[in-house]
Amino acid sequence: MKLSRRGILQFAAVAPLASRAWGMDLPPTTSRVYPGTDGKLVYVPDEQGNVIHDASHAGYGGGGVAIPMVAIKETIWPVAGDNTAHIQAAIDKVSALPLDANGFRGTVLLRAGEYRMALPVNVRASGVVLRGEGMGDTGTVLIGTGTGRPPADPNAAPGAGGRRAGPPPRPTLIQIAGAAGPKIDEASKRVVTDTFVPVGSRRFRVASGRSFKRGDSVIVRRIGNQAWIDAVGMNNDPPGARWKPFNIEWDRVIVEVSGDTITIDAPITCAIDKQWGGGEVLKYDDAGRIANIGVENMRGVSEFDPGVRTKDYGNMDRDSYAAEEYYSDENHFNNFVTFDNVTNGWVRNATALHFVNSMVGAGPATKWITVQDCVSREPISQRRGARRFVFALRGQLALVQRCQSDKGRHSFMTGQPSGSGNVFLDCKATKPYSSSEPHEQWATGNLYDNIQAPLTARFWKNFIIGWAGANTVFWNCEGNFLIQKPPTAQNYTFGHIGVNAVVFNVPFQDTSRENGYMESLDQHVFPRSLYLTQLRDRLGEAAVRAVATTDQLI
């Protein structure tokens, strides 16, 4: 057969496409977690029995539950002047309605337009949803004006309506908060009798199993004594960087009691070790938290003073770092949405512009929060420490997916010992001024799954953060990174495309520390998403499709 020149060119163009369709290489799997012959993941323990934990319990409803569309019960339009009281009245009206069988009161619909707000609005009751008519500039736009703070009153007593003179609070445009976190019943305490309970465990023995029953909400407490502080090396100079003993407390539900053996719904994310103080299980009262609250389909904007500008940068690779002048006003709204003392909440299809710190923040007593399809653009603050923590998770079992942060610092951050079991999935940081990471001291068992951003899970030298995270997992991420092994624990990266080095916070780096566990650098691994695969293994395909888009299923 003789081919013309045109035919040869056509064949050359088609051949590579055919080879990709018919002869694609299989991506590698990892040695620590991989699909077995039945299609479900196999977890390979280390010498102590620790495994990569099942992160699929993160998100609204405990993972695999679609965010509901809640019926509209109140509709408002923007009014001239300040809208704070106008929006708050609508929230309060729906908050006074009875809860339905699904735990909802109803939705406040904010029709499209601009709502200028001098002060925050508050959601303090369960079952209330705030919904707008679009996250773009022609949709529902909440505009924080001024400082976001009430006038200072030097004569105001604690608890009075005015704000006392002194350091101002960090204002949030939409504050969602219950009255209190879990109230732990110390009298119900039962000691964990196992000598060692490894990472990833859901089952362990206690001194008296008959004290508990299926369905009990409990705190599983991991004690960290001074001997453990010494073992992780956080007892050295300078004195200001030394740790004091602290505990990790996981908020869990008992799913089975068999004799003195208890099984909980989600795994622990840091080993319980008798030599470091062991563990305890305690019941708690949850009357102070609120649940089933959402913010969706709207935009938040913080006004700022464009006359405040600087060329100063902090927390880079050198003190003399110089770049363009930028807007740096910080006397305005810090955050768009925050959750405190909340379970089962969400923010979806929202945009944030110009806030000092966070688009969404979740406090230590939060659980089962989902943030999805959100974008943060152009934060306005100094580009240095303690700012631009854009998606900030300090609670547990939260899911942030399909979100973007532009010009953030710690764009996808989880922190404090309370920050555990959280998942960031299919997110991207563009033009970042620092790394996304576990932060603020020993945040454990957090998964970064298909994240495009500089990432770290490392030691902070001569600083109180110390070991920022433990048992962190980076899975199929892209961007430069720094991962180090903490004593008594591990940090992992699988299928990471990038260089094991970052330029941020260089004075606090200690590159003499042992590397974390790294496997399949510069080539992604199979399965594409660890979180979605774990969710499928636990709850089935329907649960995955309830929370994932078609693109995520590839």
Side-chain angles (χ1 to χ4, degrees):
M1 178 180 177
K2 187 174 181 179
L3 289 176
S4 66
R5 175 178 174 81
R6 181 179 180 183
I8 292 171
L9 293 174
Q10 288 175 333
F11 180 80
V14 171
L17 296 177
S19 65
R20 285 199 293 271
W22 301 333
M24 295 175 64
D25 289 335
L26 290 173
T29 58
T30 80
S31 64
R32 296 300 303 273
V33 53
Y34 58 86
T37 55
D38 62 354
K40 292 191 174 184
L41 294 175
V42 175
Y43 298 86
V44 179
D46 66 12
E47 62 278 2
Q48 291 184 298
N50 301 301
V51 297
I52 304 298
H53 70 285
D54 179 359
S56 71
H57 301 266
Y60 178 80
V65 178
I67 294 173
M69 288 294 294
V70 179
I72 297 168
K73 295 298 179 70
E74 184 72 9
T75 300
I76 63 173
W77 286 258
V79 297
D82 185 69
N83 280 257
T84 307
H86 179 49
I87 298 172
Q88 189 64 58
I91 293 171
D92 293 345
K93 186 173 181 179
V94 173
S95 298
L97 298 175
L99 290 169
D100 66 18
N102 296 313
F104 291 98
R105 304 179 198 272
T107 292
V108 177
L109 177 63
L110 288 77
R111 300 300 298 267
E114 294 186 350
Y115 296 75
R116 297 182 66 79
M117 299 167 58
L119 294 171
V121 293
N122 297 277
V123 180
R124 299 188 180 94
S126 294
V128 178
V129 177
L130 303 183
R131 181 183 303 149
E133 289 192 316
M135 60 190 284
D137 55 9
T138 60
T140 298
V141 184
L142 308 187
I143 302 175
T145 62
T147 67
R149 304 174 178 94
D153 180 358
N155 300 314
R163 181 174 65 82
R164 301 184 78 175
R170 292 187 168 190
T172 295
L173 203 58
I174 301 174
Q175 299 177 151
I176 302 169
K183 184 179 180 181
I184 299 174
D185 178 9
E186 292 289 343
S188 69
K189 177 172 62 181
R190 295 294 180 268
V191 173
V192 174
T193 58
D194 293 294
T195 301
F196 186 85
V197 184
V199 176
S201 298
R202 295 174 47 232
R203 184 177 294 109
F204 46 82
R205 293 175 296 173
V206 296
S208 178
R210 64 178 179 272
S211 303
F212 302 101
K213 66 181 185 303
R214 178 185 175 91
D216 281 347
S217 293
V218 295
I219 294 295
V220 179
R221 178 182 288 162
R222 184 264 189 195
I223 298 170
N225 59 20
Q226 186 61 49
W228 176 70
I229 301 294
D230 298 343
V232 297
M234 291 307 302
N235 58 346
N236 297 317
D237 291 332
R242 294 173 186 168
W243 286 0
K244 296 180 180 179
F246 63 87
N247 302 328
I248 300 171
E249 294 184 339
W250 296 287
D251 185 354
R252 297 293 186 261
V253 177
I254 293 178
V255 297
E256 183 181 357
V257 179
S258 178
D260 291 333
T261 299
I262 287 177
T263 303
I264 53 178
D265 60 331
I268 65 171
T269 56
C270 183
I272 296 173
D273 195 330
K274 185 164 288 188
Q275 67 177 321
W276 311 135
E280 302 165 343
V281 182
L282 309 94
K283 297 179 183 179
Y284 67 83
D285 176 79
D286 209 18
R289 284 199 291 193
I290 55 177
N292 293 321
I293 299 163
V295 175
E296 55 193 35
N297 210 30
M298 64 178 63
R299 170 171 289 195
V301 179
S302 179
E303 290 187 340
F304 62 95
D305 182 354
V308 179
R309 299 189 295 271
T310 186
K311 291 184 177 180
D312 293 336
Y313 289 71
N315 302 89
M316 303 298 281
D317 62 336
R318 56 195 180 276
D319 292 337
S320 60
Y321 182 88
E324 66 174 359
E325 184 177 63
Y326 62 93
Y327 297 123
S328 58
D329 179 31
E330 297 187 344
N331 194 25
H332 59 103
F333 277 91
N334 272 240
N335 313 302
F336 182 20
V337 182
T338 56
F339 293 91
D340 291 289
N341 304 323
V342 176
T343 64
N344 287 314
W346 71 84
V347 179
R348 61 174 168 174
N349 299 89
T351 308
L353 288 92
H354 309 327
F355 293 91
V356 172
N357 198 38
S358 297
M359 177 173 182
V360 181
T366 57
K367 178 183 178 184
W368 294 329
I369 306 294
T370 287
V371 182
Q372 64 184 37
D373 303 308
C374 292
V375 179
S376 170
R377 296 178 182 147
E378 293 291 339
I380 301 297
S381 72
Q382 296 181 48
R383 294 172 180 172
R384 61 177 59 250
R387 298 153 176 89
R388 305 191 187 204
F389 291 43
V390 180
F391 297 94
L393 306 179
R394 296 177 174 90
Q396 51 193 290
L397 302 178
L399 168 66
V400 176
Q401 66 165 340
R402 305 189 300 268
C403 292
Q404 180 180 348
S405 168
D406 183 65
K407 296 186 179 180
R409 292 187 61 259
H410 302 310
S411 293
F412 304 105
M413 168 267 179
T414 178
Q416 304 180 12
S418 57
S420 65
N422 299 302
V423 174
F424 296 98
L425 172 64
D426 289 316
C427 296
K428 184 176 183 179
T430 54
K431 300 186 285 289
Y433 292 101
S434 193
S435 50
S436 294
E437 61 194 22
H439 199 69
E440 301 173 345
Q441 189 186 76
W442 207 258
T444 59
N446 296 290
L447 169 63
Y448 290 74
D449 189 337
N450 284 268
I451 303 303
Q452 296 180 33
L455 297 174
T456 72
R458 65 178 180 89
F459 180 74
W460 289 65
K461 179 177 63 177
N462 299 329
F463 198 46
I464 190 61
I465 291 176
W467 286 104
N471 306 317
T472 312
V473 179
F474 300 156
W475 187 273
N476 282 343
C477 296
E478 297 183 7
N480 292 349
F481 65 98
L482 180 58
I483 191 161
Q484 296 175 317
K485 180 189 184 306
T488 76
Q490 184 58 280
N491 288 311
Y492 306 86
T493 185
F494 301 98
H496 210 134
I497 296 177
V499 176
N500 187 18
V502 294
V503 299
F504 307 111
N505 291 292
V506 169
F508 297 115
Q509 292 184 23
D510 182 354
T511 55
S512 69
R513 301 283 175 160
E514 181 182 352
N515 281 332
Y517 185 95
M518 297 184 287
E519 191 170 345
S520 191
L521 292 182
D522 291 325
Q523 186 175 13
H524 287 331
V525 297
F526 184 81
R528 187 197 77 84
S529 167
L530 181 61
Y531 172 80
L532 294 176
T533 304
Q534 291 176 324
L535 185 61
R536 182 181 290 111
D537 284 358
R538 183 169 66 91
L539 295 177
E541 185 67 25
V544 174
R545 294 186 178 275
V547 301
T549 63
T550 301
D551 289 344
Q552 289 177 295
L553 300 177
I554 294 174

